[in-house]
Amino acid sequence: MYSDFPQAFGPFELLRPLGRGGMAEVFLAQARSADGQQRAVALKRMHASLSEDVDAVEMLVSEAQLAMRFDHPNIARTYELGKHGATYFFLMEFVDGLDLGSLAAIAARAGERLDPVAVAWIVRAVARALAHAHGLRNADGQLLGIVHRDVSPQNVLITRDGHA
């Protein structure tokens, strides 16, 4: 299924694809620290075909810089922005689990529904994460005016141990 993997990308080892969008693709990757420690991360890599598109590069860089400002338990952390060759990328916390859309589809195939209490808990976590993002301010105390624009079941991740 993943015959082209693992593959090297700079100092990282891409283990398998996690998702693909119009501007970038996301991989489960292995990062190695200076002391040899390894950790799983999500690596979002801009499509090579866009590396010369100044507007696309600016959008990806802006996304990463903004994401690095988030500091909330219900928002996956963004660790760093980098460039390997001509390709921009950023590293994010790897969330080991399923997205809410997949979880709901699994339940539906089994003739089940997600537990209403669990759904309420997930919605509460998403609302808290959005409140954090919407409340971010710049150095002058002005609201940044962040709007997510893509709150969907596919963008809500549930960890194997039940965190949203």
Side-chain angles (χ1 to χ4, degrees), residues 15-46:
L15 302 175
R16 66 179 166 90
L18 296 174
R20 184 176 179 88
M23 276 188 50
E25 51 198 339
V26 181
F27 300 92
L28 171 60
Q30 197 74 257
R32 191 179 318 275
S33 65
D35 65 356
Q37 297 290 322
Q38 294 183 27
R39 74 172 168 178
V41 294
L43 186 146
K44 185 171 187 174
R45 178 175 74 181
M46 176 174 256

Side-chain angles (χ1 to χ4, degrees), residues 76-152:
R77 295 199 183 283
T78 298
Y79 301 122
E80 70 180 80
L81 170 65
K83 186 176 180 184
H84 174 63
T87 305
Y88 285 88
F89 68 91
F90 57 95
L91 294 182
M92 300 175 290
E93 175 183 2
F94 171 63
V95 178
D96 188 15
L98 290 173
D99 67 80
L100 184 56
S102 296
L103 195 59
I106 290 167
R109 282 194 300 273
E112 303 281 331
R113 287 188 170 181
L114 297 177
D115 176 58
V117 173
V119 171
W121 183 86
I122 292 167
V123 169
R124 177 178 173 237
V126 170
R128 286 180 171 185
L130 289 170
H132 172 75
H134 294 170
L136 277 182
R137 297 176 181 273
N138 66 17
D140 297 326
Q142 299 295 315
L143 285 172
L144 293 178
I146 296 171
V147 177
H148 189 286
R149 294 192 186 141
D150 193 15
V151 179
S152 66

